[in-house]
Amino acid sequence: MGLPALEFSDCCLDSPHFRETLKSHEAELDKTNKFIKELIKDGKSLISALKNLSSAKRKFADSLNEFKFQCIGDAETDDEMCIARSLQEFATVLRNLEDERIRMIENASEVLITPLEKFRKEQIGAAKEAKKKYDKETEKYCGILEKHLNLSSKKKESQLQEADSQVDLVRQHFYEVSLEYVFKVQEVQERKMFEFVEPLLAFLQGLFTFYHHGYELAKDFGDFKTQLTISIQNTRNRFEGTRSEVESLMKKMKENPLEHKTISPYTMEGYLYVQEKRHFGTSWVKHYCTYQRDSKQITMVPFDQKSGGKGGEDESVILKSCTRRKTDSIEKRFCFDVEAVDRPGVITMQALSEEDRRLWMEAMDGREPVYNSNKDSQSEGTAQLDSIGFSIIRKCIHAVETRGINEQGLYRIVGVNSRVQKLLSVLMDPKTASETETDICAEWEIKTITSALKTYLRMLPGPLMMYQFQRSFIKAAKLENQESRVSEIHSLVHRLPEKNRQMLQLLMNHLANVANNHKQNLMTVANLGVVFGPTLLRPQEETVAAIMDIKFQNIVIEILIENHEKIFNTVPDMPLTNAQLHLSRKKSSDSKPPSCSERPLTLFHTVQSTEKQEQRNSIINSSLESVSSNPNSILNSSSSLQPNMNSSDPDLAVVKPTRPNSLVQPPRQLCSLPSKPALAF
């Protein structure tokens, strides 16, 4: 029920009903006035809170923008670059949002606070002033009226007439004031319907504009959000496989670290305590020492892990001789003496153990007997790239494509090891190898067949894409431009031996068919890269740095699958010249092992068989010479060699991110096999 109207005619009567109605209007004005005061107070608090929130968000955005991701390795995948860029993208979105909020806050005072205060002061304040005047006139009129009515009738007629005139004037003035007050009260009551509500509407409109701006920002951010979600999923998938590989390597290092030595530019390296003469005796100072047999240079770096810093300047000497120190000639154990060409006197060193001293003595050609404890880390499997091998792979591919191309988790879900080994023994039997390619019985499950195919590839004496090209393929995957990557990998594929290239082509054609059915089998190109990358491009030595490159191995396989027709059915763009052939032959024979900086967690050195190295080099040279003798064959054969001598090695790689599938089968290893297991099986 609303307020009753104040009639002007009631002002003259000034009845109790009129006074009660007027009081109800006055009470409403008081309530409105108090509400507006509270609203202004709360509005100012809201604006202050919004300012503090905006300031906090801006500070948060600045913190996001300042942080830079550092990934392990010398290059990043597209997914890693997308994730690394995400914090700056978040910061940009937050800053844009807060810019709009600041504009809204700056307008809030003009739009909301100022109009409300103006309405309260000018309109409600004017009504209060009118009430004071009305109350004053009421009191004056009532007082004069009572005084007039108390006049004695015996007074003179002229006095009575004068008193009547004065009362009429006061009554008329009271009536006018009453009319003005009633008018003002009703005016304010009507004005508040728009002058009070309109600022609130304008303030809410500002909020709506702010939130709409946020909605538009969210729409613009949608594409990057989708790409980032895919990159995060891809990176998580790669992390699971990489983590399992690193954990497996860590366990192997715990069990027997001596069997996991690394190729190093130094013949021997490690910590030794060097005896140094002082004024009041001698002291033993811990050094990290390296020795190169070719140059006979010993480098000694004073370093103690406890202090975390170097204890002096590095020193390098040229070895003259090394002699084991007799036990009874010194109180310390595991000591040997070194004589230098460019330093007088004898340098006495203490190894960490008897075995450590023996290794140092062996490296320096000391008088200690040499026992070669190094083992060939290459497990020789029975699998070969011969007619039997091609027959096995073709049989497996035919069975998969005819019976299980749409099976979910194809090549990711592994078979039972005993069944896999049994199938391999049947397929590798020379008596059955010559049979048709369709003779794998239906009793063998698809997961057993796919596991047998992967296992056979791992059983090869070396990876299908060869150890000597492993680093080159990785460098190609790190190139910035996608076209450059494809071109470089195209060239490298054509440098592989013919059988390797034929087997790789057979496999990539098959994997392309698998990827074409990814909606049914959930195996996208990215998932196939995760499965086959570590198998086809496994490194010669198992190190953390090599495991960190698995993501680039996967990218190489993705490129091979997506561009298999171009890579295997066409020749590279640049034909080989005699100078390039000579340079390629020289690089193949004189290739140096990776430096220690590329192998951060390996501790030992493996001496590679010279005979095997020479055999590998002779194979490479013979392949190159066959192309050099017939350069025209390059234009007519897809198996010709095409090295690209101008390939670059940038710091960052760019790869088109692929959408992850919904398959949640965790990567597992098949079992203990004759060669190193691959990732994500």
Side-chain angles (χ1 to χ4, degrees), residues 17 23 32 51 55 57 109 136 151 187 217 241 261 316 336 339 435 445 460 483 527 556-557 572 580 667 672:
H17 175 71
K23 282 184 178 180
T32 302
K51 287 181 179 179
S55 177
K57 283 191 174 182
S109 294
K136 183 177 179 181
L151 288 176
E187 179 190 21
L217 282 177
K261 301 176 182 180
S316 296
F336 59 95
E339 291 186 51
E435 298 178 8
E445 295 179 297
L460 293 171
E483 184 178 349
N527 287 334
V556 172
I557 303 305
Q580 288 176 324
S672 177

Side-chain angles (χ1 to χ4, degrees), residues 210-229:
F210 166 71
Y211 288 122
H212 181 73
H213 181 71
Y215 171 74
E216 293 295 331
L217 282 177
K219 284 175 61 179
D220 295 339
F221 188 69
D223 292 339
F224 179 76
K225 183 183 73 172
T226 302
Q227 181 186 6
L228 180 60
T229 302

Side-chain angles (χ1 to χ4, degrees), residues 520-572:
Q520 291 77 30
N521 57 39
L522 305 181
M523 293 303 291
T524 62
V525 173
N527 287 334
L528 292 172
V530 170
V531 172
F532 281 91
T535 297
L536 303 179
L537 265 175
R538 67 179 184 270
Q540 190 166 6
E541 52 181 338
E542 194 173 7
T543 65
V544 173
I547 293 173
M548 291 299 120
D549 278 339
I550 285 177
K551 55 195 173 188
F552 295 106
Q553 296 173 6
N554 303 344
I555 291 172
V556 172
I557 303 305
E558 293 176 22
I559 291 174
L560 287 175
I561 296 174
E562 292 176 339
N563 302 273
H564 67 283
E565 293 185 357
K566 173 184 177 181
I567 291 176
F568 294 102
N569 297 330
T570 63
V571 295

Side-chain angles (χ1 to χ4, degrees), residues 158-169:
S158 59
Q159 292 178 335
L160 292 176
Q161 289 180 355
E162 184 180 352
D164 291 341
S165 299
Q166 185 179 2
V167 169
D168 288 339
L169 289 174

